[in-house]
């Protein structure tokens, strides 16, 4: 039996700030948006060009702050120009870490944190 990863769901508190993060800082595009006001939640699906996996943003209208579990670490994206993306993220209002490498090697990644505290690992495309 074949399986294909199709989506990753993130629960978010401020949908406008989260959409700004994923669509303006990164190049994700809104694929669809479904609103369920009677049930007090919205679903927004984001596409990343070149990937078939979507991010599903679930916005619950009356949600308390979410606690990100210690078993979840981060999402990862690759970019063509790591240094340029690092500069863009550092200039943004989002918490951005320094460029890093493993075991003293050349830098090939950094982390940026979205408005809900989810960390995104940004890596140099191979």
């Amino acid at each position: 039996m074949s399986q294909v990863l199709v989506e990753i769901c993130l629960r978010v508190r401020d949908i406008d700030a989260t959409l700004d993060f994923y669509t303006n800082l990164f190049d994700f595009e809104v694929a669809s948006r479904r609103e369920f006001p009677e049930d007090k939640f919205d679903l927004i699906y984001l596409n990343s060009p070149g990937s078939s996996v979507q991010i599903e943003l679930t916005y619950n209208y009356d949600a308390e702050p979410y606690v990100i579990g210690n078993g979840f670490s981060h999402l990862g994206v690759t970019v063509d120009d790591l240094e340029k993306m690092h500069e863009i993220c550092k200039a943004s209002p989002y918490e951005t870490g320094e460029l890093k490498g493993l075991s003293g090697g050349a830098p090939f990644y950094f982390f940026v944190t979205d408005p809900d505290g989810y960390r995104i690992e940004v890596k140099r495309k191979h």
Side-chain angles (χ1 to χ4, degrees), residues 74-126:
H74 63 274
L75 300 176
V77 299
T78 59
V79 296
D80 291 324
D81 189 334
L82 182 70
E83 289 75 12
K84 181 176 181 180
M85 189 64 191
H86 188 249
E87 289 175 16
I88 291 169
C89 289
K90 291 285 279 189
S92 78
Y94 307 108
E95 180 183 332
T96 303
E98 296 304 317
L99 289 166
K100 294 184 177 185
L102 297 177
S103 300
F108 68 94
Y109 72 97
F110 68 92
F111 284 92
V112 60
T113 304
D114 85 359
D116 291 285
Y118 296 108
R119 293 176 357 123
I120 312 302
E121 180 180 18
V122 182
K123 299 191 307 188
R124 186 182 317 279
K125 194 177 282 186
H126 297 287

